[in-house]
Amino acid sequence: MKNKHQHTWKLHRYITTQVCTRITQAWQSFRNWGSISLFLIGVSLTIVMSACSGANVDSTNNKISTSERDINLTFVSYSVTKAAYEQIIPKFVQKWQQEHNQKLKFTESYDGSGSQTLNVIDGLEADVVHLSLALDIDKLVQTGFIQPGWEKEAPNNAIVTQSVGALATREGNPKNIKTWADLTRPGVRVLTANPKTSGGARWNFLGLWGYITKTGQGEKQALDFTDKVYRNVPMLPKTARNATELFFKQGQGDALLNYENEMILSKQRGEKFSYIVPDVNILIENPIAVVDKNVEQHGTRKVAEAFVEYLYTPEVQREFSKIGFRPVNTRIAKEMSSTFPQVKTLFKAEDLGGWKKIQQQFFSEGAIFDQIQAQKPLK
């Protein structure tokens, strides 16, 4: 659907063209009038023609100049980033207004990463997306919303936040859960979100799988281990944040699988629990991208790219780290190194074959996750 600013600009241009055409025709008609009349008419027409030529039209992109109007930027992200952006976005709005004398308003949306990807495809007109995994942004490339090569459009291959997997337990850890392996024990109820809708849940799944394959065992053993864990999962909430709320607010589960940053944020909010960062772990990398198709339609590319660039600044990377994300800025990472425990064996999605292979092997219809779910005993 065309943007209302496009309609405004087209109407403006149509009226201007019609007025200027009529003026030119009138000028031709008046050429034989007396000199005084011509003088008076000429003065009047000069004023009007100046208004025509000075109309605020940008012929390069068919938009009213952005310096003359307020801007709305639609930002879409996955659920657990909301706490960070509550601090970050107001600072950027203030910065933009000071530097450009222009009011900027954000429309924000937070939900599971997989769900947000589908929302954008279905019509949520995001200008910038910060999603849980590169696979989701690749889907936006495949559907024409983002141009290929988005990874090179921002620092650090467009990874703007990162974390690792963690296990939360009840205060005092009454079931003595210390490693991934303890999640397979009978009677241990495990909470994790649904990998079909939550990027965080996919990272959890890969953390379990890699715990086996990255310690010298094969895929058969990994399948058996992961199957045993999911037999202890009584429900699959939609998002990582939903899983967190079920664990803390409703008292469900003995162990929660989630991002380390969710654990840190929950501690800051006063929740009473224990958590472990396993020694064998996956580096959770969260990418950001400008949605090319939408920024072109909205005329918001300049501010969208400025916002993405802003997220890599030391100031913002510190803000992310305050709520538990591990900084991607190397200088800030060194500053914050004592905040985060070291991980002995850290692997990435690329070490499991990359997201295309991961999707086909684990999360496509009928793939390993579906097979595991089909084999779970009915409750």
Side-chain angles (χ1 to χ4, degrees):
M1 179 177 285
K2 292 185 177 179
N3 183 291
K4 82 173 181 180
H5 295 298
Q6 290 177 297
H7 289 299
T8 302
W9 175 83
K10 288 185 176 180
L11 179 60
H12 176 85
R13 183 178 181 184
Y14 174 79
I15 293 172
T16 302
T17 301
Q18 293 299 313
V19 170
C20 292
T21 299
R22 298 296 183 271
I23 290 172
T24 302
Q25 291 172 348
W27 176 254
Q28 296 298 329
S29 302
F30 294 146
R31 290 182 64 183
N32 295 325
W33 285 29
S35 58
I36 295 177
S37 298
L38 281 172
F39 173 77
L40 294 174
I41 294 168
V43 170
S44 300
L45 291 177
T46 298
I47 294 170
V48 176
M49 292 295 286
S50 296
C52 290
S53 62
N56 185 23
V57 176
D58 181 352
S59 61
T60 61
N61 65 2
N62 297 338
K63 302 282 189 303
I64 297 173
S65 173
T66 55
S67 63
E68 299 298 326
R69 62 176 175 85
D70 298 346
I71 295 183
N72 185 81
L73 196 73
T74 301
F75 175 66
V76 170
S77 190
Y78 63 104
S79 57
V80 300
T81 66
K82 185 177 181 181
Y85 283 110
E86 286 174 348
Q87 306 302 317
I88 293 166
I89 286 176
K91 293 179 181 178
F92 179 74
V93 168
Q94 183 180 26
K95 180 177 185 291
W96 183 264
Q97 185 164 4
Q98 288 174 347
E99 294 177 355
H100 299 272
N101 192 29
Q102 186 177 48
K103 291 183 180 178
L104 173 61
K105 177 184 177 183
F106 271 76
T107 298
E108 301 167 56
S109 175
Y110 301 92
D111 203 346
S113 186
S115 296
Q116 291 291 58
T117 304
L118 294 177
N119 289 338
V120 174
I121 293 171
D122 290 341
L124 177 56
E125 295 187 6
D127 296 295
V128 178
V129 289
H130 178 188
L131 299 177
S132 179
L133 56 161
L135 176 67
D136 288 333
I137 293 187
D138 285 338
K139 290 177 182 176
L140 297 178
V141 174
Q142 294 162 12
T143 48
F145 286 89
I146 295 175
Q147 293 299 310
W150 59 271
E151 306 95 327
K152 304 303 177 186
E153 298 300 319
N156 197 44
N157 289 322
I159 302 301
V160 70
T161 54
Q162 59 188 13
S163 191
V164 294
L167 302 173
T169 65
R170 296 298 169 192
E171 188 174 13
N173 195 7
K175 294 207 171 180
N176 197 31
I177 299 167
K178 296 182 178 179
T179 70
W180 298 119
D182 293 325
L183 301 177
T184 66
R185 296 204 319 256
V188 174
R189 296 170 301 151
V190 180
L191 279 183
T192 180
N194 189 340
K196 295 289 188 176
T197 55
S198 167
R202 295 193 182 199
W203 288 113
N204 291 342
F205 185 98
L206 297 179
L208 296 169
W209 190 272
Y211 168 66
I212 300 299
T213 61
K214 296 304 169 185
T215 53
Q217 301 181 68
E219 292 196 347
K220 182 179 179 181
Q221 288 81 10
L223 177 59
D224 179 65
F225 172 75
T226 309
D227 176 71
K228 287 179 180 177
V229 173
Y230 276 89
R231 286 174 182 269
N232 284 343
V233 177
M235 67 188 74
L236 291 168
K238 182 180 179 182
T239 72
R241 175 54 54 82
N242 293 154
T244 298
E245 290 173 350
L246 284 171
F247 185 78
F248 291 118
K249 305 302 182 186
Q250 299 186 30
Q252 301 204 27
D254 303 303
L256 169 70
L257 277 64
N258 216 327
Y259 298 107
E260 176 190 42
N261 55 276
E262 276 287 89
M263 308 302 179
I264 293 172
L265 182 62
S266 296
K267 283 282 189 183
Q268 292 173 356
R269 290 175 170 173
E271 300 292 352
K272 304 298 183 183
F273 69 106
S274 304
Y275 78 92
I276 306 104
V277 175
D279 281 342
V280 179
N281 217 314
I282 188 163
L283 181 63
I284 296 166
E285 298 180 304
N286 316 124
I288 195 161
V290 171
V291 184
D292 297 291
K293 180 180 178 180
N294 291 340
V295 296
E296 291 302 326
Q297 291 179 349
H298 301 162
T300 52
R301 179 175 290 279
K302 181 178 179 181
V303 65
E305 290 179 345
F307 179 60
V308 170
E309 183 179 352
Y310 177 67
L311 298 181
Y312 288 90
T313 62
E315 173 192 4
V316 177
Q317 286 293 304
R318 286 192 190 96
E319 203 65 53
F320 279 129
S321 69
K322 286 178 184 177
I323 66 159
F325 285 101
R326 297 188 174 213
V328 300
N329 180 298
T330 53
R331 180 161 66 88
I332 306 305
K334 289 180 181 178
E335 285 181 14
M336 307 296 295
S337 60
S338 61
T339 305
F340 303 100
Q342 295 296 308
V343 176
K344 187 181 298 183
T345 302
L346 192 64
F347 58 94
K348 297 184 177 185
E350 287 81 358
D351 299 322
L352 298 175
W355 280 110
K356 184 176 181 180
K357 180 179 183 293
I358 287 169
Q359 171 66 16
Q360 293 173 347
Q361 183 176 6
F362 299 116
F363 306 120
S364 293
E365 292 300 315
I368 286 176
F369 178 73
D370 283 349
Q371 294 169 20
I372 288 173
Q373 288 299 103
Q375 294 173 10
K376 284 179 64 174
L378 295 176
K379 300 294 184 184

